[in-house]
Amino acid sequence: MKYKVKESSKKLPDRRTFIQTLGSSCVLLLVPKFLFARENKKGAAWTYSNGYAPSEHYYGMGIDISKCIGCGRCANACKLENDVPREPFFFRTWVERYRIFEDGEVAIDSPNGAADGFKPGSAPEKNLVRNFFVPKICNQCDKPPCVQVCPVGATFKTPDGVVLVDSQYCIGCRYCIQACPYGARYLHPEKRVADKCTFCYHRIVKEKLPACVEVCPTQARIFGELEKKASPLVRFMRMNKISVLKPSLNTEPKVYYANFDMEVR
Amino acid sequence: MKWKRIPQQLQRLIILAAIFAVLFLIVRSFLIPVDFGKYGHYRASAVEEIIAQGMHYAGQEACYDCHEDVFETKRGGFHQNVSCEVCHGPAFTHAETTDTAELEAPTGRGYCPVCHEYLPSRPTGFPQIVSASHNPMKPCITCHEPHDPEPPQAPAECTACHAEIARTKSLSHHVYVPCMRCHETPEEHKINPRKVLPGKPKTREFCGGCHAQDAPADKGIPRIDMASHNVRYVCWQCHYPHLPEAR
């Protein structure tokens, strides 16, 4: 039986042409990089109007649960410093009370975000096994889901690792509020834009502490540089066993807890 | 490919698409701020707007400049790390313009209990009171100097700070065992609760004083064989002495 060899309609290029085309297309791949060259995105040369260079800093916060007395001065100071609405449900930082009873039941409460402190109340019927306060705040994630979902680029991470909201650019679509696994964002009832903890960015660029850290009477909150050797936060992380909230979500939070209980969510 | 070889209807479409593309680019350049995307997918000038926010809290260092005497009182005391603005309120305007904005400090009984009212969730050893029974008519500052607080009298009973343990113990068979029988407590512990800590029984024989087979104690007390009953542990490593009924 004879086979009819079908001639290809197009001839394959010889080796020389192939290598030439390959080389030139590789060079062409680099063209957009030169055409659309932008300034350094990391902001290495960025200096704010007050002379502060964000790329030289990298901030985080440490929270020692065993030191928190639940006085709520942090939540109160935050509202005063940042003009957060006084009515309930709007918080940049708040304190939760965890009560773990003998039968394994866990009661979590935070009356008015602890801005007025906790009231003693009546003694519970069941025996308490463990009970403690957990201050909560925006975790200033290194991989922030809120930034990822913002459709207009109104929320962003600065070179010093703080996640901020551009209130002029925010359209109030609430995607970021949905995306935050820590419930750290809220919609400002008057401005109708998303709002969140900024680590008191207007203070820290002037070398002051965030308001909640300033007023904490027991030093349960520690604010500082993460990538410098001489920093109270680095010492805190060296001296304590450190946990973060929801590590499985890979958001890489920069709020570090010491003496963290399994039940804390 | 030559332009004329393209079918006419496609030529028109291409021209239309080009016009739309140019229009889009023109409109886009008007809508998007100049500094958007300079350092990332955001408006770089937003940072300047955020840091322009006014401050309310001046920070402890600002108080030091004028009120050095108060700092001398505070130094070394229990309140040395309590920032002035915790009690005196936000002081930024006061620090900038000293005369116009006078600060106040809470003088009644309402404010100190925010930190010092007894709550079971507060860390053990943190000084707490039950304000309803703690001199209910007196303002705190009549006895305690807030800049260097020390209890004028040491608490008479352990329950003043360890109410949670006292309540548990009151329901247990150890209700009549006084705290000090097991916890050797230096008098200094009442003044300096977290620096001087009370002791715990160190040996099995301590509990054996009542619970050994041959102990000279009441007949109703449960007995164990000290030689065979989990010799490797001190009793309180398994039994919670404040509620020993747990099995």
Side-chain angles (χ1 to χ4, degrees):
Chain A
M1 203 172 167
K2 279 186 181 176
Y3 289 100
K4 200 180 175 185
V5 179
K6 196 185 173 188
E7 233 178 284
S8 145
S9 57
K10 274 187 183 174
K11 239 176 84 182
L12 280 171
D14 58 26
R15 188 177 295 166
R16 180 176 293 266
T17 352
F18 174 74
I19 291 172
Q20 276 174 353
T21 325
L22 187 72
S24 55
S25 48
C26 283
V27 172
L28 275 174
L29 276 177
L30 294 172
V31 166
K33 205 185 169 183
F34 294 109
L35 265 182
F36 305 107
R38 285 180 179 173
E39 279 186 60
N40 184 5
K41 285 247 179 168
K42 301 264 180 209
W46 195 3
T47 317
Y48 299 164
S49 54
N50 65 343
Y52 170 93
S55 57
E56 288 166 17
H57 303 268
Y58 200 67
Y59 294 116
M61 187 182 279
I63 294 177
D64 191 344
I65 289 177
S66 69
K67 279 187 180 170
C68 180
I69 56 169
C71 62
R73 295 306 84 201
C74 46
N76 187 57
C78 176
K79 288 207 171 200
L80 284 170
E81 178 70 29
N82 296 301
D83 300 315
V84 178
R86 294 300 299 186
E87 63 259 47
F89 316 121
F90 304 111
F91 301 103
R92 289 184 174 197
T93 184
W94 66 100
V95 183
E96 289 171 3
R97 171 166 63 180
Y98 278 69
R99 284 178 295 174
I100 298 150
F101 296 103
E102 219 169 28
D103 58 358
E105 194 198 316
V106 184
I108 310 166
D109 63 341
S110 180
N112 193 17
D116 312 316
F118 286 87
K119 300 284 171 289
S122 54
E125 305 264 307
K126 290 176 279 188
N127 273 327
L128 283 161
V129 181
R130 300 192 297 279
N131 46 120
F132 47 86
F133 298 102
V134 182
K136 294 264 179 91
I137 192 168
C138 166
N139 282 263
Q140 312 287 359
C141 308
D142 206 29
K143 294 181 188 164
C146 53
V147 172
Q148 201 178 22
V149 299
C150 180
V152 295
T155 182
F156 56 96
K157 205 177 87 182
T158 53
D160 45 14
V162 182
V163 179
L164 297 175
V165 180
D166 178 352
S167 61
Q168 300 295 312
Y169 217 61
C170 176
I171 56 170
C173 71
R174 302 172 176 86
Y175 273 144
C176 53
I177 299 171
Q178 293 284 319
C180 177
Y182 306 103
R185 284 171 167 259
Y186 65 94
L187 195 84
H188 197 289
E190 287 139 30
K191 297 187 209 157
R192 309 302 293 169
V193 293
D195 195 33
K196 68 178 280 295
C197 162
T198 60
F199 268 172
C200 281
Y201 205 63
H202 59 294
R203 294 176 66 85
I204 60 176
V205 297
K206 291 160 198 151
E207 293 185 345
K208 297 215 181 251
L209 289 171
C212 57
V213 180
E214 175 68 37
V215 301
C216 181
T218 58
Q219 272 66 57
R221 289 172 185 250
I222 289 122
F223 178 80
E225 301 274 358
L226 276 170
E227 289 180 348
K228 291 195 177 155
K229 279 187 176 167
S231 140
L233 182 62
V234 171
R235 181 182 183 275
F236 171 82
M237 291 174 71
R238 190 170 63 231
M239 303 295 279
N240 291 291
K241 287 178 194 144
I242 295 295
S243 311
V244 292
L245 289 169
K246 301 183 183 172
S248 59
L249 296 176
N250 288 328
T251 52
E252 297 184 12
K254 292 200 292 291
V255 173
Y256 302 95
Y257 286 90
N259 301 304
F260 194 77
D261 193 275
M262 185 180 87
E263 297 290 351
V264 179
R265 290 187 287 270
Chain B
M1 203 181 270
K2 294 266 165 61
W3 177 249
K4 284 198 175 160
R5 274 206 222 152
I6 302 172
Q8 209 180 13
Q9 67 270 36
L10 263 187
Q11 285 180 7
R12 284 183 185 155
L13 264 181
I14 289 168
I15 293 166
L16 214 58
I19 291 170
F20 271 122
V22 170
L23 268 178
F24 172 77
L25 287 175
I26 291 168
V27 171
R28 186 178 184 273
S29 68
F30 277 109
L31 284 181
I32 290 187
V34 194
D35 52 351
F36 195 95
K38 196 176 174 191
Y39 298 109
H41 189 65
Y42 57 93
R43 214 161 51 92
S45 55
V47 171
E48 292 293 338
E49 287 162 22
I50 287 164
I51 64 173
Q53 186 189 328
M55 281 195 268
H56 290 80
Y57 283 85
Q60 192 159 247
E61 300 75 23
C63 312
Y64 186 84
D65 293 341
C66 302
H67 303 285
E68 206 178 328
D69 51 326
V70 183
F71 273 83
E72 284 305 319
T73 322
K74 270 177 76 180
R75 181 168 298 155
F78 285 112
H79 278 181
Q80 65 172 336
N81 282 327
V82 180
S83 173
C84 311
E85 289 165 305
V86 177
C87 304
H88 295 279
F92 189 75
T93 39
H94 172 77
E96 296 289 295
T97 53
T98 322
D99 298 329
T100 51
E102 274 296 314
L103 288 185
E104 281 180 20
T107 49
R109 280 179 68 83
Y111 195 68
C112 305
V114 169
C115 292
H116 291 291
E117 182 72 65
Y118 171 71
L119 283 181
S121 306
R122 293 213 157 118
T124 303
F126 184 79
Q128 297 161 69
I129 52 135
V130 178
S131 55
S133 62
H134 185 93
N135 304 319
M137 298 308 283
K138 277 188 182 173
C140 309
I141 53 168
T142 50
C143 302
H144 307 274
E145 149 71 298
H147 293 131
D148 184 20
E150 256 183 44
Q153 286 115 33
E157 290 173 273
C158 308
T159 49
C161 304
H162 304 283
E164 178 73 19
I165 292 173
R167 200 158 57 225
T168 309
K169 193 161 79 78
S170 71
L171 299 170
S172 83
H173 277 104
H174 279 174
V175 56
Y176 294 120
V177 181
C179 307
M180 307 280 252
R181 187 176 291 173
C182 305
H183 300 285
E184 238 176 66
T185 310
E187 198 57 26
E188 177 71 5
H189 171 70
K190 295 178 181 172
I191 311 284
N192 235 336
R194 279 188 275 190
K195 280 184 193 149
V196 182
L197 295 171
K200 279 180 181 180
K202 291 188 183 75
T203 58
R204 292 161 48 77
E205 284 67 37
F206 183 87
C207 299
C210 292
H211 293 288
Q213 294 288 7
D214 54 348
D218 195 84
K219 274 182 188 171
I221 290 175
R223 309 299 176 118
I224 48 111
D225 181 16
M226 295 291 285
S228 67
H229 183 82
N230 278 327
V231 186
R232 59 184 297 179
Y233 297 112
V234 182
C235 310
W236 50 258
Q237 286 180 292
C238 305
H239 302 277
Y240 184 51
H242 301 133
L243 193 66
E245 284 77 5
R247 279 173 211 285

